[in-house]
Amino acid sequence: MRYLVGLCLCVFGAVLPASSATITVSAGGDLQEAIDAARPGDTILLAAGAVFTGNYTLPVKGGTSFITIRSATPDASLPPAGTRIDPSFAGVLAKVRSTQHGPAFKTVGPASYWRLQFL
């Protein structure tokens, strides 16, 4: 009987979808902390119009679902897919700037499945 329960847990546990989270970073918030806490499938929303200055590291997380870092501006307030964004949208996009040393974002080793949008 114990084996049947264990088998059911393994089978049904593999079928249930993993839940994804939305992590919101306000102006002045800790973007690296959000990056470190994110799991595959999560979305990190950066406050629209806020500026995040630093050298952020995108670590290896595993999995095959993207972790998305994007402006919190709703899609309905942005140009449709396939359309170039122009400077008129600058006020509703989060800005990520590097310090004087190194890039704003860098990956560690074989880090993959990171998506940056509307920044």
Side-chain angles (χ1 to χ4, degrees), residues 24-28 44-52 70-74 77-78 89-96 117-119:
T24 302
V25 184
S26 302
I44 299 171
L45 295 179
L46 304 181
V51 177
F52 297 86
R70 62 165 287 169
S71 175
T73 300
S77 299
L78 296 167
F89 290 93
V92 297
L93 302 177
K95 294 157 189 68
V96 181
Q117 294 181 310
F118 308 118
L119 303 173

Side-chain angles (χ1 to χ4, degrees), residues 66-90:
F66 282 96
I67 298 173
T68 302
I69 302 174
R70 62 165 287 169
S71 175
T73 300
D75 288 346
S77 299
L78 296 167
T83 305
R84 288 188 71 119
I85 223 165
D86 64 52
S88 68
F89 290 93

Side-chain angles (χ1 to χ4, degrees), residues 3-94:
Y3 297 111
L4 180 59
V5 170
L7 178 63
C8 288
L9 288 175
C10 288
V11 170
F12 291 115
V15 174
L16 295 175
S19 62
S20 58
T22 300
I23 302 168
T24 302
V25 184
S26 302
D30 190 336
L31 175 54
Q32 187 64 57
E33 182 179 292
I35 289 168
D36 293 342
R39 300 286 170 243
D42 289 354
T43 299
I44 299 171
L45 295 179
L46 304 181
V51 177
F52 297 86
T53 302
N55 302 105
Y56 302 103
T57 301
L58 305 178
V60 175
K61 295 285 188 161
T64 57
S65 296
F66 282 96
I67 298 173
T68 302
I69 302 174
R70 62 165 287 169
S71 175
T73 300
D75 288 346
S77 299
L78 296 167
T83 305
R84 288 188 71 119
I85 223 165
D86 64 52
S88 68
F89 290 93
V92 297
L93 302 177

